[in-house]
């Protein structure tokens, strides 16, 4: 079930491929931020927000059509654990949207964007596991039920929707139960649409073990879900995952995988090398994903504006 009223559907009417941005944390670290912290990039929202705006601007200039906000790990509970009030936490969560919107408007005002859609702001709604900051988004099996997940996500999702985001990016989910909880909350905001993306442990199953085809089949019947797919997943699994999803859904498919390194939740560091070279190599893989049905493509952890530029180069030839 697909509609033409959500911003993703409207943009895809005139453009064969929408480009999602790349890693925010990687670029913040390159600018000197220490993100070895349970709040991760959400800490930068409070300390040096202009760096976040600059990273968004760099990705727009590289070719991104969609900026994912810095709210992935920005939760009311997480900020309050650092001594902030609920009001202060909500202000920072709202700020994540305004920073991306400001960067989008600054970029658009630069001109010279013939053939490109006006960029969208996707408000990141990270999983419960991101709040736990223990790598649970790659495992699932939380010690919380679906009703608890609905309660956890409700206030942040409401703040992001009210902040003026174009779409919600419900991302890095390890389980179908959490996706169902988010859809339940989403129904309370009938004017909002969202994409749902999972982490996957292989070419057929999301992190908690549910077949990706089962997830796609369920999400296909949810009218507010604008796109579905995977993110923060190894490059090698993407072609198979796309094939599994495309067989059971007519919604746009979205992929934004990692560069190929593996995250160590204990040390909060990345291990191993990349599966492909940055830049042209990433664009070549994007061409394969597009051929398998992906219509929104970007990068997740450890990807860079160079990778996004390579996807833009591929799109230019479509």
């Amino acid at each position: 079930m697909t509609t033409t009223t959500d911003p993703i559907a409207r943009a895809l009417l005139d453009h064969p491929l929408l480009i999602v941005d790349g890693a925010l944390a990687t670029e913040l670290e390159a600018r000197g931020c220490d993100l070895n912290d349970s709040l991760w990039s959400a800490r930068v929202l409070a300390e040096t927000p202009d760096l976040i705006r600059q990273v968004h601007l760099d990705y727009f200039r590289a070719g991104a059509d969609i900026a994912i906000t810095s709210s992935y790990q920005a939760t009311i509970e997480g900020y309050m654990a650092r001594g902030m009030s609920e009001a202060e936490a909500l202000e920072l969560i709202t700020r994540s949207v305004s920073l991306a919107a400001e960067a989008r408007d600054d970029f658009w005002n630069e001109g010279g964007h013939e053939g490109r859609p006006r960029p969208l702001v996707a408000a990141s709604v990270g999983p419960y596991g991101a709040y736990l900051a223990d790598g649970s988004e790659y495992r699932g099996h939380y010690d919380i039920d679906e009703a608890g997940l609905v309660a956890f996500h409700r206030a942040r999702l409401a703040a992001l929707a009210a902040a003026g985001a174009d779409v919600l990016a419900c991302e890095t989910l390890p389980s179908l139960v959490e996706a169902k909880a988010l859809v339940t909350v989403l129904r309370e905001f009938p004017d909002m649409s969202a994409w749902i993306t999972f982490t996957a442990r292989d070419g057929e199953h999301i992190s908690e073990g549910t077949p990706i085809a089962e997830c796609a089949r369920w999400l296909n019947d949810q009218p507010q879900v604008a796109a579905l797919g995977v993110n923060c997943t190894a490059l090698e699994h993407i072609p198979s995952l796309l094939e599994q999803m495309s067989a059971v859904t007519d919604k746009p498919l979205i992929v934004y995988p990692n560069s190929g390194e593996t995250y160590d939740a204990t040390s909060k560091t990345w291990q191993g090398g990349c599966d492909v070279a940055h830049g042209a190599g990433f664009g070549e893989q994007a061409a394969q994903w597009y051929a398998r049905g992906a219509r929104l493509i970007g990068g997740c952890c450890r990807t860079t504006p160079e990778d996004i530029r390579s996807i833009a180069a591929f799109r230019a030839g479509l």
Side-chain angles (χ1 to χ4, degrees):
M1 185 185 303
T2 304
T3 72
T4 57
T5 57
D6 68 78
I8 287 175
R10 288 197 301 269
L12 286 172
L13 289 174
D14 298 317
H15 303 277
L17 172 66
L18 299 181
I19 301 174
V20 183
D21 63 9
L24 176 68
T26 300
E27 291 302 298
L28 290 174
E29 287 176 327
R31 288 161 170 78
C33 296
D34 179 7
L35 301 184
N36 191 353
D37 185 280
S38 62
L39 289 178
W40 203 35
S41 56
R43 191 177 80 178
V44 185
L45 269 173
E47 297 177 354
T48 49
D50 193 60
L51 286 179
I52 294 174
R53 189 192 65 79
Q54 186 59 54
V55 172
H56 287 316
L57 187 57
D58 287 349
Y59 274 120
F60 286 135
R61 288 170 174 165
D65 304 310
I66 305 174
I68 300 176
T69 66
S70 52
S71 50
Y72 174 80
Q73 211 144 338
T75 63
I76 296 169
E77 294 84 352
Y79 280 133
M80 290 180 71
R82 294 296 180 86
M84 296 183 188
S85 68
E86 181 177 355
E88 289 171 328
L90 288 169
E91 191 281 327
L92 288 174
I93 291 168
T94 299
R95 180 185 296 177
S96 71
V97 175
S98 62
L99 289 170
E102 289 166 10
R104 183 262 311 279
D105 294 344
D106 288 347
F107 166 73
W108 203 243
N109 288 336
E110 291 174 354
H113 310 309
E114 292 78 8
R116 288 184 61 173
R118 188 172 188 272
L120 302 174
V121 172
S124 175
V125 181
Y128 181 72
Y131 158 66
L132 298 177
D134 63 357
S136 293
E137 57 264 58
Y138 307 110
R139 300 188 305 270
H141 303 291
Y142 304 142
D143 187 20
I144 187 173
D145 62 12
E146 186 172 344
L149 289 169
V150 168
F152 172 79
H153 284 296
R154 179 176 281 119
R156 177 173 55 159
L157 194 150
L160 292 168
D166 297 301
V167 65
L168 299 172
C170 300
E171 56 180 354
T172 327
L173 306 182
S175 71
L176 180 56
V177 169
E178 188 158 25
K180 289 181 177 181
L182 282 160
V183 169
T184 296
V185 180
L186 187 62
R187 290 172 184 148
E188 299 174 13
F189 307 93
D191 293 333
M192 287 300 300
S193 60
W195 75 58
I196 303 286
T197 53
F198 300 93
T199 56
R201 68 186 192 187
D202 57 33
E204 295 185 9
H205 304 88
I206 64 172
S207 291
E208 201 173 48
T210 306
I212 189 73
E214 180 180 334
C215 300
R217 189 178 293 110
W218 187 85
L219 291 169
N220 191 59
D221 294 330
Q222 309 307 316
Q224 287 177 264
V225 174
L228 60 95
V230 292
N231 76 293
C232 213
T233 292
L235 290 164
E236 64 195 67
H237 301 320
I238 302 302
S240 174
L241 290 164
L242 283 167
E243 291 167 1
Q244 298 289 320
M245 291 184 289
S246 64
V248 297
T249 183
D250 61 4
K251 288 185 181 291
L253 298 181
I254 175 172
V255 292
Y256 48 113
N258 294 335
S259 67
E261 294 157 278
T262 302
Y263 185 65
D264 185 322
T266 302
S267 64
K268 292 183 172 58
T269 59
W270 290 89
Q271 309 293 327
C274 299
D275 291 340
V276 297
H278 282 298
F282 205 85
E284 291 167 4
Q285 298 237 1
Q288 298 175 30
W289 305 332
Y290 181 81
R292 286 173 169 82
R295 292 299 176 262
L296 297 92
I297 298 176
C300 202
C301 298
R302 309 296 279 180
T303 59
T304 69
E306 184 182 359
D307 298 316
I308 301 310
R309 195 169 289 112
S310 72
I311 302 172
F314 158 70
R315 181 176 63 180
L318 292 176

